[in-house]
Amino acid sequence: AVEGLVLILLAAGGLPADEGMWLLNNPPDKLLQERYGFEPTPGWLEHLQKSCVRIGASGSLVSGDGLLLTNHHVGSDQLFKLSTAERDLLAEGFYARTRGEELKCPDLEVRVLWSIEDVTERINAAATPEMSPADAYTARRKAMTRVEQESKDATGLECEVVTLYHGARYHLYRYKSYKDVRLVMAPEKTAAFFGGDTDNFEYPRFDLDFCFFRVYEDGRPLHPEHYLRCSQAGAADGELAFVLGHPGRTRRLLTVEHLKFLRDVEVPTFLRYLWRREVQLATFCNRGPENARIGEDSFFSVQNSRKARTGVLAGLLDPELFRRKGEEERRLQAAPTSPGDSATQPADPWADIATAVKTEQEFHVRYQLVGRTFGSELYSIARDLVRLAEELPKASPDRLREYRDSELDSLYLQLYSPAPIYEALETNAVASGLSNLAETFGAGDPTAVTALGGLPPAERAEQLVRGCTLQDVETRKRLVKEGRPAIESSTDPMIQFARAMDPEARALRKRFEDEVEGVQRAAYARIGAARFAAYGESVYPDATGTLRLAFGPIKGYTEAGRTVPAFTTLEGMYDRWKERRGQPGFELPQRWVDLKSKLDLSVQLNFVLKADIIGGNSGSPVVNAKGEIVGLIFDGNLQSLIWDIAYDDVQGRALAVDIRAIIEALRKVYNAGALTDELVGD
Amino acid sequence: AVEGLVLILLAAGGLPADEGMWLLNNPPDKLLQERYGFEPTPGWLEHLQKSCVRIGASGSLVSGDGLLLTNHHVGSDQLFKLSTAERDLLAEGFYARTRGEELKCPDLEVRVLWSIEDVTERINAAATPEMSPADAYTARRKAMTRVEQESKDATGLECEVVTLYHGARYHLYRYKSYKDVRLVMAPEKTAAFFGGDTDNFEYPRFDLDFCFFRVYEDGRPLHPEHYLRCSQAGAADGELAFVLGHPGRTRRLLTVEHLKFLRDVEVPTFLRYLWRREVQLATFCNRGPENARIGEDSFFSVQNSRKARTGVLAGLLDPELFRRKGEEERRLQAAPTSPGDSATQPADPWADIATAVKTEQEFHVRYQLVGRTFGSELYSIARDLVRLAEELPKASPDRLREYRDSELDSLYLQLYSPAPIYEALETNAVASGLSNLAETFGAGDPTAVTALGGLPPAERAEQLVRGCTLQDVETRKRLVKEGRPAIESSTDPMIQFARAMDPEARALRKRFEDEVEGVQRAAYARIGAARFAAYGESVYPDATGTLRLAFGPIKGYTEAGRTVPAFTTLEGMYDRWKERRGQPGFELPQRWVDLKSKLDLSVQLNFVLKADIIGGNSGSPVVNAKGEIVGLIFDGNLQSLIWDIAYDDVQGRALAVDIRAIIEALRKVYNAGALTDELVGD
């Protein structure tokens, strides 16, 4: 039966050659050897694995002194937090000429993946056949927490159980964690994000989307066992390249009914939120230069999500996608049942998922709105404090997962961050969220009534933000320490607000976990098991925010009858600047204008490759067969946005900054000799 | 009983002194006399009435040679249509040094109100007691069409029956119509709309929001019997001023349940549409200078609506408004019933309205989306052609109202407009509308399926727009002439699309008219009658897009503890420019920068007054007691936006351009000597 399924699936064409986000402990050896004659050795893999860092998204260690290379747009959150009204690091860029000038990030943690262990049997043993899907889901999550805690206690490493193949496998990932990370160098945002929203996710492209941090340990630069060397020669057109990074989430096994939910509910709902917020933040930023500065980070993040989701929606609205997915689904449904323990598995997982998405549709908008914290820092802090007071007295496995013991260090790093919180932006975010409750559910909705407290949204937001005492980090620490009595007697209006909102937020989350996520996990585990039974670990699991290996040649494509070459150059950047000069998003920093004649304009700036990436891969090193860095993933093109759902390499491409442009810029524009020497190993 | 009601209402405070959009045939004589000692004579009123023009919004004749003054943002639609890729009149401005250089507008009609007649009894006679509200509503509309047609046949004037006091009165308005209107002068948009979206609807303000047209008759400049003279001295702080214009719609009698519908459904739904479209148009415009040029008119209109609706929503989300409206409502409900013919009137109009808004809620979003034409010119033309083919064979009173005989001349002016239609913008609008169908109702919705025709939105839009033959005006004329057979056999994809969409659009409209509008008209007529029985014509009716007289002193206000003075000056404009230089919306035309030293910077630029205005009043002359122009309404401040629902003069103000700034700009910046002489009558 299994054999037959494989044949059926392969007959349907199998995977495009370069598809796949592969596990480091199960690399696509055969595929690479057959297609490219390349054999990744265990040493090669371990070296890459331990040179990579998880930093929200992705990055890599690039010197023996803990130098870390990632995207500007990955580091920009810290650049924003390190800026003041007098010194805007996003606008001006930054370079620390000495170690002493490096700026300590307020709340940045990086992790290096140290080891992986298969714990599937232990996790599965926690769920028994007589449990409901929701109970089995809960039991497995508790088992995961226990496994993580045990391993942390034993090794001192940060531990996380990762659900792979939709529950067909559970792997325990152990990380070294570093919480002292300092800013070394960043170009101006106008250079890093040249072309702005207009060119974002498009190609040809001309972005210097990089920045450097340094990892410290015990107050001294980290001397890592593994770090990546730079290829000063760079890569050539057609060359095979590898991408090591942390793709956040793909959903390539979703059923057709689930995809319809994405197309008709989830993506449009999120886009509606983004359109609304983008306009509100644009008007906020336009009110003056300081507003523009404090609003820019949020504005960019909303714009970026909007453009990405617009691409996903366009992909979902292509009937061809549904035709293909429907065919795949029918083929899998027709395949003989795998010999798994059918007693604990749903009989018709497709029907279960259809039911679950129907259920989710009933409260999706409400869960998104009441379950979140309006993009407000203060509300988010207040809610963490309220929830910590309730969760900490419980045993770790019984808590909401983000408050389990193994997560607390990372949580406190965020919660006690000294990063500035801007009252004007907070008030805007809270007023927007409050108004959104009324707009969406009606101002007479009980939750909206509670939230608004009898005031118009703007006045209520002012009351909550102005009266809030949580700007002070010591107050936050005290409230965590004193726990529930302090929270219950607190007169802080934001704490009171978070307390008032929390019961419904928790109830919505519980409903989501029990009636949607739990059911879907069980059903996808069944579908995943069928697929796993056929392919075993010869296929890659959906992205999970953990380290993966992708690969593919550097290669251009054809669009609207025109050839789009793989590489762009510095000259192309100046041409684009001339063509669009003065338009929003197309400014260049003055030093780039002044130094043009000093530069080698033929230096490669950006390139495209077929490697399979998704959001979270930003900052991933692109390495050659020797394991040297040739570039830095910073984006995918518009045609790659649907890769969330289905990979396709006809036009879809990953975008990278060429390492040669980074070196040219460091040497000649940023006058960063010491940093360049450290990077190229001179 | 009637007496009692008046006393009850007056005891509640009555109207703020300067509230009211008064009928020209029923001016607030007593109020003006008591409060300001001013007595408008019939001659004064007739002179103002016949000097004013309806031009989409408002405007006035200001010379014996048919010179017409209105806002730049009222004329900007024509400026846009008269522009080309080589000559952007919005960016560059325009001045015709000779009559020969004046540019004929492609589709601009202006109307001058010539006479008014009360036809209440004739219209009411058409509805009999045994009719349902829907049937009575239809019967009255047919009667209106008959009355209009008869009057047009008798007088040759354009005739329109206006429903006043929610049906307590019907007045027949007769207009002189002019369809040859030419552009004389316009400043650059950056001067007219200085401060952009940021300062829009705010104060202090610094906008030269004016432009000049000339009305022609039989190929020669019109020599109107009445036109307004300019006051070169301008108006003083505290001076009483009058506003003559065409407020579009107010809804000041809405019941509390109806207001909740506005707050919870109508305004949020429209805002969601606007946010979405604003972001889409912003990204469209940012793709390049020509995109920016062809998209600007739509973009401005969406931004402007968004800012206005944001203000309305903020007002509706103030619980104080509902408290006040609720009190008023309870007072009116408790008042003794008026002696009207209760047999034909609903027993509980408040309950009827509550039911009607509940019904509307069921299909409001669908009606807004399927009932409209996506903001696409070609789709709009196609639908007119499809509907004309169906409507023209019917008798005039039986047609959809916009196709009745008395409207056809105006309709054809629009339909056969030679104004350019831009394929790129059309494709964007159609793709947006198609995607919106799928986003809102799901891509599996039968209407969405039909609309998309098996293609992704962008591809389908290209198919519809590229294949469309309606760019050619002669093709449109031919299709109207050949009627239904030509439409039914047309292979034009946009015609076929409009035909496919029309049945549902018509069904939604019919449902709206029968179950919502008809019921509400009957119910509001009942409420209006109660109010009318109490006050008679001593109160003003809600705005109806027809000529009204408003008044109030020129007067600043206090905001956040600071005094906002009534007047701004040219100097203030330069200060604001300096403060925000280089920010979006704050560019000044180069000649304004160069000529600063030549100008009298103390000249008054904008001022605020308490006159009761709303959208549609843009371009209204502000006149002094002598009937001379002292300014030009161009906006209301943020606090006035809720005037749609309720007037309040604590901070709410109308905004006007000072005539002195217009004269200073014409003479010294635009070198428009002849025009200035014509304007000031030298």
Side-chain angles (χ1 to χ4, degrees), chain A residues 198 202 263-264 275 279 286-287 306 313 443 454 580, chain B residues 198 202 263-264 279 286-287 306 319 439 443 454 580:
Chain A
T198 299
E202 312 218 356
R263 180 193 67 188
D264 296 341
W275 287 317
V279 169
N286 283 340
R287 292 222 158 258
R306 181 261 303 156
L313 181 66
R580 295 300 312 273
Chain B
T198 299
E202 312 218 356
R263 179 192 68 189
D264 297 341
V279 170
N286 282 341
R287 292 222 158 258
R306 180 262 302 155
E439 292 161 28
R580 295 299 312 274

PDB file of all heavy atoms in Angstrom, chain A residues 198 202 263-264 275 279 286-287 306 313 443 454 580, chain B residues 198 202 263-264 279 286-287 306 319 439 443 454 580:
ATOM      1  N   THR A 198       7.360  50.538  -2.648  1.00  0.00           N
ATOM      2  CA  THR A 198       7.142  50.303  -4.082  1.00  0.00           C
ATOM      3  C   THR A 198       7.952  49.109  -4.579  1.00  0.00           C
ATOM      4  O   THR A 198       7.439  48.244  -5.275  1.00  0.00           O
ATOM      5  CB  THR A 198       7.515  51.566  -4.878  1.00  0.00           C
ATOM      6  OG1 THR A 198       6.670  52.634  -4.444  1.00  0.00           O
ATOM      7  CG2 THR A 198       7.332  51.357  -6.373  1.00  0.00           C
ATOM      8  N   GLU A 202       9.884  43.009  -4.778  1.00  0.00           N
ATOM      9  CA  GLU A 202       9.929  43.007  -6.238  1.00  0.00           C
ATOM     10  C   GLU A 202      11.369  42.818  -6.679  1.00  0.00           C
ATOM     11  O   GLU A 202      12.300  42.809  -5.879  1.00  0.00           O
ATOM     12  CB  GLU A 202       9.305  44.300  -6.785  1.00  0.00           C
ATOM     13  CG  GLU A 202       7.962  44.601  -6.126  1.00  0.00           C
ATOM     14  CD  GLU A 202       6.881  45.179  -7.008  1.00  0.00           C
ATOM     15  OE1 GLU A 202       7.143  45.449  -8.178  1.00  0.00           O
ATOM     16  OE2 GLU A 202       5.759  45.338  -6.502  1.00  0.00           O
ATOM     17  N   ARG A 263      -8.325  31.895   2.120  1.00  0.00           N
ATOM     18  CA  ARG A 263      -8.656  32.795   1.010  1.00  0.00           C
ATOM     19  C   ARG A 263      -9.840  33.704   1.341  1.00  0.00           C
ATOM     20  O   ARG A 263      -9.834  34.894   1.033  1.00  0.00           O
ATOM     21  CB  ARG A 263      -8.987  31.943  -0.221  1.00  0.00           C
ATOM     22  CG  ARG A 263      -9.354  32.713  -1.457  1.00  0.00           C
ATOM     23  CD  ARG A 263      -9.957  31.778  -2.511  1.00  0.00           C
ATOM     24  NE  ARG A 263     -11.258  31.260  -2.076  1.00  0.00           N
ATOM     25  CZ  ARG A 263     -11.945  30.312  -2.705  1.00  0.00           C
ATOM     26  NH1 ARG A 263     -11.442  29.735  -3.784  1.00  0.00           N
ATOM     27  NH2 ARG A 263     -13.118  29.909  -2.242  1.00  0.00           N
ATOM     28  N   ASP A 264     -10.850  33.126   1.986  1.00  0.00           N
ATOM     29  CA  ASP A 264     -12.105  33.866   2.166  1.00  0.00           C
ATOM     30  C   ASP A 264     -12.216  34.552   3.521  1.00  0.00           C
ATOM     31  O   ASP A 264     -13.028  35.455   3.678  1.00  0.00           O
ATOM     32  CB  ASP A 264     -13.300  32.914   2.001  1.00  0.00           C
ATOM     33  CG  ASP A 264     -13.383  32.329   0.586  1.00  0.00           C
ATOM     34  OD1 ASP A 264     -12.776  32.914  -0.332  1.00  0.00           O
ATOM     35  OD2 ASP A 264     -14.043  31.294   0.418  1.00  0.00           O
ATOM     36  N   TRP A 275      -4.800  47.366   6.219  1.00  0.00           N
ATOM     37  CA  TRP A 275      -5.150  48.580   5.474  1.00  0.00           C
ATOM     38  C   TRP A 275      -5.524  49.708   6.434  1.00  0.00           C
ATOM     39  O   TRP A 275      -5.084  50.845   6.298  1.00  0.00           O
ATOM     40  CB  TRP A 275      -6.332  48.309   4.530  1.00  0.00           C
ATOM     41  CG  TRP A 275      -5.993  47.488   3.336  1.00  0.00           C
ATOM     42  CD1 TRP A 275      -4.879  47.606   2.542  1.00  0.00           C
ATOM     43  CD2 TRP A 275      -6.755  46.406   2.777  1.00  0.00           C
ATOM     44  NE1 TRP A 275      -4.927  46.676   1.540  1.00  0.00           N
ATOM     45  CE2 TRP A 275      -6.064  45.921   1.652  1.00  0.00           C
ATOM     46  CE3 TRP A 275      -7.971  45.805   3.109  1.00  0.00           C
ATOM     47  CZ2 TRP A 275      -6.536  44.864   0.860  1.00  0.00           C
ATOM     48  CZ3 TRP A 275      -8.443  44.760   2.328  1.00  0.00           C
ATOM     49  CH2 TRP A 275      -7.732  44.297   1.229  1.00  0.00           C
ATOM     50  N   VAL A 279      -3.166  53.199   7.062  1.00  0.00           N
ATOM     51  CA  VAL A 279      -3.638  54.575   6.869  1.00  0.00           C
ATOM     52  C   VAL A 279      -3.503  55.357   8.174  1.00  0.00           C
ATOM     53  O   VAL A 279      -3.044  56.506   8.187  1.00  0.00           O
ATOM     54  CB  VAL A 279      -5.095  54.583   6.363  1.00  0.00           C
ATOM     55  CG1 VAL A 279      -5.679  55.983   6.406  1.00  0.00           C
ATOM     56  CG2 VAL A 279      -5.154  54.017   4.950  1.00  0.00           C
ATOM     57  N   ASN A 286       2.745  61.504   9.474  1.00  0.00           N
ATOM     58  CA  ASN A 286       2.772  62.775   8.741  1.00  0.00           C
ATOM     59  C   ASN A 286       2.564  63.998   9.621  1.00  0.00           C
ATOM     60  O   ASN A 286       2.654  65.127   9.156  1.00  0.00           O
ATOM     61  CB  ASN A 286       1.713  62.770   7.626  1.00  0.00           C
ATOM     62  CG  ASN A 286       2.176  61.949   6.439  1.00  0.00           C
ATOM     63  OD1 ASN A 286       3.375  61.695   6.274  1.00  0.00           O
ATOM     64  ND2 ASN A 286       1.240  61.526   5.605  1.00  0.00           N
ATOM     65  N   ARG A 287       2.270  63.767  10.895  1.00  0.00           N
ATOM     66  CA  ARG A 287       1.995  64.917  11.764  1.00  0.00           C
ATOM     67  C   ARG A 287       3.257  65.676  12.164  1.00  0.00           C
ATOM     68  O   ARG A 287       3.160  66.749  12.761  1.00  0.00           O
ATOM     69  CB  ARG A 287       1.230  64.493  13.016  1.00  0.00           C
ATOM     70  CG  ARG A 287      -0.158  64.044  12.711  1.00  0.00           C
ATOM     71  CD  ARG A 287      -1.196  64.551  13.713  1.00  0.00           C
ATOM     72  NE  ARG A 287      -2.497  64.530  13.080  1.00  0.00           N
ATOM     73  CZ  ARG A 287      -3.093  65.606  12.599  1.00  0.00           C
ATOM     74  NH1 ARG A 287      -2.551  66.796  12.713  1.00  0.00           N
ATOM     75  NH2 ARG A 287      -4.253  65.511  11.993  1.00  0.00           N
ATOM     76  N   ARG A 306       1.351  44.012   4.802  1.00  0.00           N
ATOM     77  CA  ARG A 306       0.297  44.254   3.819  1.00  0.00           C
ATOM     78  C   ARG A 306       0.735  43.818   2.433  1.00  0.00           C
ATOM     79  O   ARG A 306      -0.006  43.161   1.711  1.00  0.00           O
ATOM     80  CB  ARG A 306      -0.096  45.737   3.830  1.00  0.00           C
ATOM     81  CG  ARG A 306      -1.197  46.092   2.860  1.00  0.00           C
ATOM     82  CD  ARG A 306      -0.655  46.702   1.571  1.00  0.00           C
ATOM     83  NE  ARG A 306       0.138  47.877   1.829  1.00  0.00           N
ATOM     84  CZ  ARG A 306       1.067  48.309   0.997  1.00  0.00           C
ATOM     85  NH1 ARG A 306       1.340  47.656  -0.117  1.00  0.00           N
ATOM     86  NH2 ARG A 306       1.752  49.402   1.290  1.00  0.00           N
ATOM     87  N   LEU A 313      -2.812  36.658  -1.066  1.00  0.00           N
ATOM     88  CA  LEU A 313      -4.214  36.677  -1.507  1.00  0.00           C
ATOM     89  C   LEU A 313      -4.300  36.517  -3.023  1.00  0.00           C
ATOM     90  O   LEU A 313      -5.134  35.749  -3.527  1.00  0.00           O
ATOM     91  CB  LEU A 313      -4.883  37.983  -1.073  1.00  0.00           C
ATOM     92  CG  LEU A 313      -6.364  38.095  -1.468  1.00  0.00           C
ATOM     93  CD1 LEU A 313      -7.202  37.063  -0.728  1.00  0.00           C
ATOM     94  CD2 LEU A 313      -6.901  39.498  -1.204  1.00  0.00           C
ATOM     95  N   ALA A 443     -20.759  49.470  18.924  1.00  0.00           N
ATOM     96  CA  ALA A 443     -20.376  50.121  20.175  1.00  0.00           C
ATOM     97  C   ALA A 443     -21.195  49.608  21.350  1.00  0.00           C
ATOM     98  O   ALA A 443     -20.845  49.826  22.501  1.00  0.00           O
ATOM     99  CB  ALA A 443     -20.518  51.639  20.048  1.00  0.00           C
ATOM    100  N   GLY A 454     -17.306  54.125  28.749  1.00  0.00           N
ATOM    101  CA  GLY A 454     -18.164  55.310  28.678  1.00  0.00           C
ATOM    102  C   GLY A 454     -17.535  56.522  28.030  1.00  0.00           C
ATOM    103  O   GLY A 454     -18.089  57.620  28.083  1.00  0.00           O
ATOM    104  N   ARG A 580      13.882  57.603 -10.416  1.00  0.00           N
ATOM    105  CA  ARG A 580      12.779  57.858  -9.484  1.00  0.00           C
ATOM    106  C   ARG A 580      13.128  58.920  -8.454  1.00  0.00           C
ATOM    107  O   ARG A 580      12.421  59.068  -7.454  1.00  0.00           O
ATOM    108  CB  ARG A 580      12.374  56.560  -8.758  1.00  0.00           C
ATOM    109  CG  ARG A 580      11.796  55.471  -9.636  1.00  0.00           C
ATOM    110  CD  ARG A 580      10.523  55.909 -10.352  1.00  0.00           C
ATOM    111  NE  ARG A 580       9.576  56.547  -9.455  1.00  0.00           N
ATOM    112  CZ  ARG A 580       8.669  55.895  -8.730  1.00  0.00           C
ATOM    113  NH1 ARG A 580       8.565  54.591  -8.833  1.00  0.00           N
ATOM    114  NH2 ARG A 580       7.840  56.539  -7.947  1.00  0.00           N
TER     115      ARG A 580
ATOM    116  N   THR B 198      -2.674  65.989   6.011  1.00  0.00           N
ATOM    117  CA  THR B 198      -2.393  66.277   7.421  1.00  0.00           C
ATOM    118  C   THR B 198      -3.227  67.450   7.925  1.00  0.00           C
ATOM    119  O   THR B 198      -3.831  67.373   8.989  1.00  0.00           O
ATOM    120  CB  THR B 198      -0.895  66.571   7.605  1.00  0.00           C
ATOM    121  OG1 THR B 198      -0.157  65.415   7.200  1.00  0.00           O
ATOM    122  CG2 THR B 198      -0.565  66.901   9.055  1.00  0.00           C
ATOM    123  N   GLU B 202      -8.566  70.681   9.252  1.00  0.00           N
ATOM    124  CA  GLU B 202      -8.052  71.169  10.529  1.00  0.00           C
ATOM    125  C   GLU B 202      -7.912  72.693  10.452  1.00  0.00           C
ATOM    126  O   GLU B 202      -8.087  73.310   9.402  1.00  0.00           O
ATOM    127  CB  GLU B 202      -6.723  70.473  10.850  1.00  0.00           C
ATOM    128  CG  GLU B 202      -6.836  68.947  10.655  1.00  0.00           C
ATOM    129  CD  GLU B 202      -6.086  68.099  11.660  1.00  0.00           C
ATOM    130  OE1 GLU B 202      -5.386  68.637  12.518  1.00  0.00           O
ATOM    131  OE2 GLU B 202      -6.225  66.867  11.572  1.00  0.00           O
ATOM    132  N   ARG B 263     -23.332  54.265  13.170  1.00  0.00           N
ATOM    133  CA  ARG B 263     -22.135  54.090  13.985  1.00  0.00           C
ATOM    134  C   ARG B 263     -21.551  52.688  13.847  1.00  0.00           C
ATOM    135  O   ARG B 263     -20.332  52.524  13.761  1.00  0.00           O
ATOM    136  CB  ARG B 263     -22.511  54.344  15.454  1.00  0.00           C
ATOM    137  CG  ARG B 263     -21.387  54.190  16.453  1.00  0.00           C
ATOM    138  CD  ARG B 263     -21.941  54.183  17.884  1.00  0.00           C
ATOM    139  NE  ARG B 263     -22.727  52.963  18.124  1.00  0.00           N
ATOM    140  CZ  ARG B 263     -23.462  52.742  19.201  1.00  0.00           C
ATOM    141  NH1 ARG B 263     -23.552  53.659  20.152  1.00  0.00           N
ATOM    142  NH2 ARG B 263     -24.137  51.610  19.344  1.00  0.00           N
ATOM    143  N   ASP B 264     -22.429  51.691  13.832  1.00  0.00           N
ATOM    144  CA  ASP B 264     -21.950  50.302  13.902  1.00  0.00           C
ATOM    145  C   ASP B 264     -21.817  49.633  12.532  1.00  0.00           C
ATOM    146  O   ASP B 264     -21.125  48.632  12.409  1.00  0.00           O
ATOM    147  CB  ASP B 264     -22.892  49.460  14.776  1.00  0.00           C
ATOM    148  CG  ASP B 264     -22.923  49.940  16.219  1.00  0.00           C
ATOM    149  OD1 ASP B 264     -21.986  50.651  16.634  1.00  0.00           O
ATOM    150  OD2 ASP B 264     -23.899  49.623  16.927  1.00  0.00           O
ATOM    151  N   VAL B 279      -4.887  52.682   0.487  1.00  0.00           N
ATOM    152  CA  VAL B 279      -3.597  51.992   0.402  1.00  0.00           C
ATOM    153  C   VAL B 279      -3.339  51.540  -1.034  1.00  0.00           C
ATOM    154  O   VAL B 279      -2.238  51.697  -1.569  1.00  0.00           O
ATOM    155  CB  VAL B 279      -3.559  50.788   1.371  1.00  0.00           C
ATOM    156  CG1 VAL B 279      -2.329  49.931   1.121  1.00  0.00           C
ATOM    157  CG2 VAL B 279      -3.574  51.281   2.817  1.00  0.00           C
ATOM    158  N   ASN B 286       2.550  55.523  -6.321  1.00  0.00           N
ATOM    159  CA  ASN B 286       3.995  55.484  -6.054  1.00  0.00           C
ATOM    160  C   ASN B 286       4.785  54.735  -7.124  1.00  0.00           C
ATOM    161  O   ASN B 286       6.013  54.715  -7.076  1.00  0.00           O
ATOM    162  CB  ASN B 286       4.266  54.836  -4.689  1.00  0.00           C
ATOM    163  CG  ASN B 286       4.002  55.809  -3.557  1.00  0.00           C
ATOM    164  OD1 ASN B 286       3.971  57.019  -3.773  1.00  0.00           O
ATOM    165  ND2 ASN B 286       3.798  55.287  -2.367  1.00  0.00           N
ATOM    166  N   ARG B 287       4.085  54.124  -8.073  1.00  0.00           N
ATOM    167  CA  ARG B 287       4.801  53.344  -9.089  1.00  0.00           C
ATOM    168  C   ARG B 287       5.497  54.218 -10.128  1.00  0.00           C
ATOM    169  O   ARG B 287       6.241  53.705 -10.964  1.00  0.00           O
ATOM    170  CB  ARG B 287       3.870  52.362  -9.791  1.00  0.00           C
ATOM    171  CG  ARG B 287       3.410  51.266  -8.883  1.00  0.00           C
ATOM    172  CD  ARG B 287       3.403  49.885  -9.557  1.00  0.00           C
ATOM    173  NE  ARG B 287       3.470  48.885  -8.520  1.00  0.00           N
ATOM    174  CZ  ARG B 287       4.573  48.221  -8.200  1.00  0.00           C
ATOM    175  NH1 ARG B 287       5.693  48.411  -8.855  1.00  0.00           N
ATOM    176  NH2 ARG B 287       4.552  47.353  -7.213  1.00  0.00           N
ATOM    177  N   ARG B 306     -12.059  59.644   3.610  1.00  0.00           N
ATOM    178  CA  ARG B 306     -11.595  58.914   4.782  1.00  0.00           C
ATOM    179  C   ARG B 306     -11.439  59.840   5.984  1.00  0.00           C
ATOM    180  O   ARG B 306     -11.859  59.528   7.087  1.00  0.00           O
ATOM    181  CB  ARG B 306     -10.275  58.205   4.465  1.00  0.00           C
ATOM    182  CG  ARG B 306      -9.704  57.411   5.611  1.00  0.00           C
ATOM    183  CD  ARG B 306      -8.629  58.159   6.376  1.00  0.00           C
ATOM    184  NE  ARG B 306      -7.543  58.540   5.493  1.00  0.00           N
ATOM    185  CZ  ARG B 306      -6.731  59.563   5.737  1.00  0.00           C
ATOM    186  NH1 ARG B 306      -6.912  60.322   6.814  1.00  0.00           N
ATOM    187  NH2 ARG B 306      -5.767  59.865   4.896  1.00  0.00           N
ATOM    188  N   PRO B 319     -20.401  58.901  23.546  1.00  0.00           N
ATOM    189  CA  PRO B 319     -21.684  58.540  24.179  1.00  0.00           C
ATOM    190  C   PRO B 319     -22.567  59.759  24.468  1.00  0.00           C
ATOM    191  O   PRO B 319     -23.790  59.634  24.544  1.00  0.00           O
ATOM    192  CB  PRO B 319     -21.264  57.847  25.481  1.00  0.00           C
ATOM    193  CG  PRO B 319     -19.846  57.424  25.267  1.00  0.00           C
ATOM    194  CD  PRO B 319     -19.249  58.417  24.324  1.00  0.00           C
ATOM    195  N   GLU B 439     -13.014  38.785  -1.497  1.00  0.00           N
ATOM    196  CA  GLU B 439     -12.613  38.980  -0.097  1.00  0.00           C
ATOM    197  C   GLU B 439     -13.820  39.066   0.823  1.00  0.00           C
ATOM    198  O   GLU B 439     -13.804  38.599   1.958  1.00  0.00           O
ATOM    199  CB  GLU B 439     -11.812  40.281   0.049  1.00  0.00           C
ATOM    200  CG  GLU B 439     -10.451  40.273  -0.614  1.00  0.00           C
ATOM    201  CD  GLU B 439      -9.924  41.687  -0.839  1.00  0.00           C
ATOM    202  OE1 GLU B 439     -10.285  42.595  -0.073  1.00  0.00           O
ATOM    203  OE2 GLU B 439      -9.164  41.873  -1.803  1.00  0.00           O
ATOM    204  N   ALA B 443     -14.579  33.634  -2.437  1.00  0.00           N
ATOM    205  CA  ALA B 443     -14.384  33.467  -3.879  1.00  0.00           C
ATOM    206  C   ALA B 443     -15.374  32.473  -4.465  1.00  0.00           C
ATOM    207  O   ALA B 443     -15.546  32.410  -5.679  1.00  0.00           O
ATOM    208  CB  ALA B 443     -12.952  33.025  -4.166  1.00  0.00           C
ATOM    209  N   GLY B 454     -13.459  32.797 -13.760  1.00  0.00           N
ATOM    210  CA  GLY B 454     -12.433  31.753 -13.757  1.00  0.00           C
ATOM    211  C   GLY B 454     -11.001  32.250 -13.775  1.00  0.00           C
ATOM    212  O   GLY B 454     -10.069  31.471 -13.946  1.00  0.00           O
ATOM    213  N   ARG B 580       7.394  72.766   8.351  1.00  0.00           N
ATOM    214  CA  ARG B 580       7.173  71.404   7.858  1.00  0.00           C
ATOM    215  C   ARG B 580       7.820  71.161   6.496  1.00  0.00           C
ATOM    216  O   ARG B 580       7.500  70.187   5.824  1.00  0.00           O
ATOM    217  CB  ARG B 580       5.659  71.119   7.757  1.00  0.00           C
ATOM    218  CG  ARG B 580       4.908  71.098   9.068  1.00  0.00           C
ATOM    219  CD  ARG B 580       5.425  70.024  10.024  1.00  0.00           C
ATOM    220  NE  ARG B 580       5.586  68.730   9.404  1.00  0.00           N
ATOM    221  CZ  ARG B 580       4.626  67.819   9.284  1.00  0.00           C
ATOM    222  NH1 ARG B 580       3.437  68.059   9.782  1.00  0.00           N
ATOM    223  NH2 ARG B 580       4.855  66.660   8.706  1.00  0.00           N
TER     224      ARG B 580
END
